[in-house]
């Protein structure tokens, strides 16, 4: 709308200014709406272009290669999970075993390792409800009665034994010598020569 048109209509200057101001404001609002719509259209066009590019890239991709890659990732995931579960199971078992033996004191480290190894070989089932290994108490009680020298009173001061010097000699033994060994000697032999011990133990 032009000023000359309004003047020709016989309107006063103030009226003309007011009409032109309102007209300019209306035009500004409509232009802002148009600009906003254009921005939205441009954004949508950009997204469409991006999607088209992704579709084209997918078309060019090797489906077999993608499947192989996914299989590799799945295998690695399964392997990592299995390793973690095995490690966690071992940690839990060792904590439960330590709790079972509690304040039990062994004569020496050789004896301790031997008894713990024997405990592991027994494969006692763990009862979640009672928080104990089934039948393990009976086994330990019988062991303490049959081989009391494998354990000591925790209040007793342990004796320090100085190993003899010189050539330890031939560590090999015969089957008869193995049979005549005491429980403590067998435990010591098991820790020093586990493979030979297993051979003799199997032959018994």
């Amino acid at each position: 709308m032009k000023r000359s048109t309004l003047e020709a209509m016989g309107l006063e200057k103030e009226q003309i200014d007011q009409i032109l101001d309102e007209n300019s404001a209306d035009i500004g609002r409509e232009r802002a709406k148009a600009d906003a719509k254009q921005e939205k259209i441009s954004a949508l066009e950009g997204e469409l272009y991006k999607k088209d590019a992704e579709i084209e890239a997918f078309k060019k991709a090797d489906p077999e290669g993608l499947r192989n890659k996914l299989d590799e990732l799945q295998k690695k995931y399964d392997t990592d999970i299995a390793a973690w579960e095995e490690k966690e199971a071992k940690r839990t078992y060792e904590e439960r075993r330590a709790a079972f033996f509690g304040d039990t004191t062994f004569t020496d480290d050789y004896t301790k390792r031997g008894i713990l190894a024997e405990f592991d070989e027994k494969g006692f089932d763990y009862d979640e409800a009672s928080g104990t290994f089934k039948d393990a108490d009976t086994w330990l009680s019988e062991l303490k009665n049959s081989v009391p020298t494998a354990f000591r009173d925790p209040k007793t001061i342990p004796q320090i034994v100085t190993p003899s010097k010189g050539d330890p000699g031939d560590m090999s033994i015969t089957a008869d010598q193995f049979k005549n060994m005491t429980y403590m000697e067998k435990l010591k032999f098991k820790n020093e020569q586990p493979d030979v011990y297993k051979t003799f133990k199997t032959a018994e």
Side-chain angles (χ1 to χ4, degrees):
M1 184 175 292
K2 296 181 179 180
R3 179 178 290 275
S4 58
T5 303
L6 296 175
E7 289 176 347
M9 294 172 62
L11 297 176
E12 298 292 334
K13 182 178 182 303
E14 292 180 358
Q15 293 176 322
I16 293 173
D17 290 340
Q18 184 178 357
I19 292 172
L20 291 177
D21 289 342
E22 291 179 358
N23 186 58
S24 296
D26 291 339
I27 293 173
R29 283 192 293 271
E30 293 302 321
R31 182 173 295 171
K33 292 179 181 179
D35 291 342
K37 288 182 179 180
Q38 185 59 46
E39 289 180 2
K40 186 176 292 186
I41 291 172
S42 298
L44 291 173
E45 288 177 346
E47 291 181 8
L48 287 173
Y49 178 80
K50 183 179 179 181
K51 295 297 181 184
D52 289 340
E54 291 177 353
I55 291 172
E56 289 300 320
F58 182 77
K59 288 179 179 179
K60 295 178 181 178
D62 176 17
E64 186 65 26
L66 290 174
R67 280 195 294 270
N68 291 337
K69 185 64 176 178
L70 288 174
D71 289 341
E72 290 177 6
L73 291 174
Q74 184 65 49
K75 288 179 181 178
K76 184 179 184 305
Y77 172 79
D78 293 341
T79 300
D80 291 344
I81 288 296
W84 179 85
E85 289 178 345
E86 182 180 356
K87 183 178 180 180
E88 186 66 13
K90 181 180 179 182
R91 182 190 64 79
T92 301
Y93 172 77
E94 290 177 348
E95 287 181 352
R96 290 172 174 175
R97 185 183 63 182
F100 168 75
F101 282 98
D103 58 357
T104 301
T105 308
F106 304 94
T107 303
D108 51 43
D109 286 339
Y110 276 118
T111 304
K112 179 179 180 179
R113 287 197 293 270
I115 291 177
L116 292 182
E118 185 174 332
F119 178 87
D120 295 341
E121 291 174 0
K122 292 290 183 181
F124 295 109
D125 292 328
Y126 188 79
D127 183 17
E128 296 284 352
S130 61
T132 58
F133 290 95
K134 295 180 180 179
D135 302 323
D137 286 328
T138 302
W139 168 80
L140 182 59
S141 179
E142 292 176 351
L143 186 63
K144 287 181 177 180
N145 290 331
S146 61
V147 194
T149 54
F151 307 89
R152 66 178 176 82
D153 187 336
K155 297 179 181 179
T156 303
I157 300 175
Q159 297 180 351
I160 300 176
V161 179
T162 304
S164 59
K165 297 181 180 179
D167 184 6
D170 187 3
M171 294 295 291
S172 62
I173 63 170
T174 65
D176 289 335
Q177 289 174 324
F178 179 79
K179 290 179 181 179
N180 293 327
M181 279 184 173
T182 64
Y183 181 82
M184 298 290 291
E185 289 173 337
K186 286 184 178 180
L187 283 178
K188 186 174 184 295
F189 184 71
K190 180 179 181 180
N191 282 286
E192 293 176 344
Q193 301 189 57
D195 293 335
V196 180
Y197 172 87
K198 186 176 181 180
T199 301
F200 282 127
K201 194 68 176 176
T202 303
E204 282 188 335

